[in-house]
Amino acid sequence: MPKAAFHLTHPERRTTSVVFASPHSGRDYPWSFLRKTALDQHQVRSSEDAFVDDLFEAAPRFGAPLLKAGAPRAYVDLNRSADELDPALIEGVGKLRHNPRVASGLGVIPRVVANGRAIYTGKLQRAEAERRIDTYWRPYHEALAGQLDQAQTIFGQSVLLDCHSMPHEAMDSVVRMGARRPEVVLGDRFGASASDEVVSRIEAAFQAAGLIVVRNTPFAGAYITQRYGRPSRGRHAVQIEIDRALYMNEQLIRPNGNFEGFKRLLEGVIAELVQIGSPKSTPLAAE
């Protein structure tokens, strides 16, 4: 079993309502799981947001907590609802109303990794699925909810930055002829999970670092932004997707020669992002 459900790094002094989280960067693959999978140890990592937690590790130095997953995405997906159980994978689960994520094998216990490669050769017992959810999914979300509640108590608002990475090829279908390829996608569920003011300030922070930013295409946010984004209550949640080619070799799943430089670039972005939730900043109006 993965050793920890999550890792939470606190700042010495919390100075912002911003919370950074990385739900897909877990890379503690238990041997019991690797024995069951039909994939090798390299293939099973293909849907992992490798190194995203490293890229944002400076957040606590700027006064914000950083929550990162312990269990890998191929083992349990923290960006899915606990009831998104896949009947094609888990024994004893009845058919659900249509859910495109579950139908494609990307439920809370994934059936496939990137490119639709099957993780298992057979089905899992329901008790195993529920054990993973109880041991890893629930503690992660309890920790995340606790950090957001604390931000709300201290600062009167919370701003969740849900940090992810995207394959370079993900933008192939949305790049217009002659246009510069987007490098960062901000997902606010088309305005449902965060105010325009918050998203605009996040967008400006990445743009000031020279990065090309778009909103909601092709990633508008998933379960986490849906669950925790309530802008009318001062609770904002934005999904951040960063092009993996900027900092890693996707085929080898290794940092590339630009990793340290890109990480330093992101430190400047983080310094700007935490200002969104600083008491010195203009209070965010409730929508």
Side-chain angles (χ1 to χ4, degrees):
M1 294 171 61
K3 298 179 182 66
F6 62 86
H7 305 277
L8 177 59
T9 306
H10 296 278
E12 287 189 11
R13 186 170 70 90
R14 190 164 184 176
T15 59
T16 177
S17 64
V18 174
V19 176
F20 291 83
S22 177
H24 286 164
S25 58
R27 45 187 175 269
D28 183 6
Y29 291 85
W31 178 242
S32 58
F33 167 69
L34 293 175
R35 280 189 311 167
K36 293 178 182 178
T37 178
L39 306 173
D40 62 36
Q41 294 186 35
H42 185 81
Q43 292 169 330
V44 79
R45 295 188 64 191
S46 60
S47 58
E48 175 189 315
D49 283 344
F51 315 117
V52 166
D53 52 344
D54 293 336
L55 291 175
F56 285 92
E57 70 173 358
R61 290 199 279 111
F62 292 98
L66 171 62
L67 177 68
K68 52 189 181 180
R73 182 185 186 182
Y75 190 74
V76 57
D77 192 336
L78 304 173
N79 199 20
R80 298 289 182 265
S81 172
D83 62 5
E84 289 186 275
L85 297 171
D86 186 349
L89 174 66
I90 301 165
E91 292 179 350
V93 173
K95 289 187 177 180
L96 307 174
R97 59 185 178 82
H98 182 62
N99 181 313
R101 293 190 295 254
V102 173
S104 62
L106 297 173
V108 64
I109 308 297
R111 174 165 40 91
V112 301
V113 291
N115 299 319
R117 288 174 293 197
I119 298 174
Y120 308 94
T121 55
K123 283 195 168 188
L124 296 180
Q125 294 183 350
R126 182 158 187 168
E128 168 64 13
E130 292 176 348
R131 183 187 64 79
R132 294 186 193 182
I133 292 167
D134 289 342
T135 307
Y136 301 100
W137 190 97
R138 296 192 194 285
Y140 180 90
H141 281 277
E142 287 170 4
L144 180 55
Q147 290 303 304
L148 297 174
D149 288 345
Q150 188 180 81
Q152 193 92 19
T153 298
I154 299 171
F155 302 100
Q157 65 177 22
S158 61
V159 180
L160 170 60
L161 302 182
D162 196 47
C163 304
H164 297 259
S165 67
M166 59 183 178
H168 184 69
E169 64 187 21
M171 302 308 296
D172 287 351
S173 62
V174 300
V175 177
R176 300 189 308 275
M177 185 69 69
R180 294 180 65 187
R181 174 182 287 268
E183 298 162 317
V184 177
V185 179
L186 303 180
D188 65 357
R189 300 187 65 81
F190 299 94
S193 69
S195 73
D196 182 69
E197 178 187 355
V198 167
V199 183
S200 293
R201 292 180 67 180
I202 297 169
E203 185 175 45
F206 282 101
Q207 289 174 335
L211 296 166
I212 309 303
V213 185
V214 295
R215 299 190 191 185
N216 294 310
T217 303
F219 305 107
Y223 171 74
I224 287 175
T225 47
Q226 181 181 24
R227 174 172 176 175
Y228 295 104
R230 296 290 184 274
S232 63
R233 303 178 192 173
R235 291 179 173 259
H236 308 271
V238 178
Q239 179 175 288
I240 299 172
E241 298 273 359
I242 300 175
D243 185 347
R244 294 172 185 166
L246 293 171
Y247 59 88
M248 66 177 280
N249 182 311
E250 293 185 69
Q251 285 69 43
L252 300 178
I253 315 181
R254 293 178 184 170
N256 64 22
N258 194 46
F259 184 85
E260 292 300 330
F262 186 72
K263 185 174 178 178
R264 286 193 297 271
L265 182 79
L266 276 190
E267 286 192 15
V269 176
I270 292 167
E272 291 298 319
L273 293 175
V274 297
Q275 296 303 315
I276 297 170
S278 168
K280 297 177 184 178
S281 185
T282 303
L284 299 170
E287 291 187 334

